[in-house]
Amino acid sequence: MKANMGSIDKTVRLLIAALLIVLYFLGVVEGVLGTVALGIAAVFTLTSVISFCPLYAVFGITTCKTKSA
């Protein structure tokens, strides 16, 4: 897997994941919506940690900075 996520993208995903987790544990989102929120938070956290988003790969998107030769 080649990294396709830049640092800003990873930071935004981690912030959104943290927000979703906090909202779940505060009881703001619950039930099915809460479960979906936790699932999304888990995916965002995992993709941020490994710097790879499968959907970006499918669509040929990359937010990594490229090195100039």
Side-chain angles (χ1 to χ4, degrees), residues 13-65:
R13 285 175 184 240
L14 286 173
L15 289 173
I16 292 171
L19 176 66
L20 291 173
I21 291 168
V22 168
L23 290 176
Y24 177 79
F25 284 109
L26 289 177
V28 176
V29 291
E30 51 191 19
V32 174
L33 183 60
T35 304
V36 170
L38 284 181
I40 291 170
V43 170
F44 276 12
T45 302
L46 178 65
T47 56
S48 294
V49 168
I50 63 173
S51 299
F52 179 78
C53 178
L55 283 177
Y56 281 8
V58 170
F59 292 110
I61 300 170
T62 183
T63 58
C64 287
K65 293 188 182 200

Side-chain angles (χ1 to χ4, degrees), residues 1-23:
M1 285 185 297
K2 183 180 176 188
N4 63 4
M5 290 177 59
S7 60
I8 294 174
D9 194 6
K10 290 189 292 188
T11 303
V12 169
R13 285 175 184 240
L14 286 173
L15 289 173
I16 292 171
L19 176 66
L20 291 173
I21 291 168
V22 168
L23 290 176

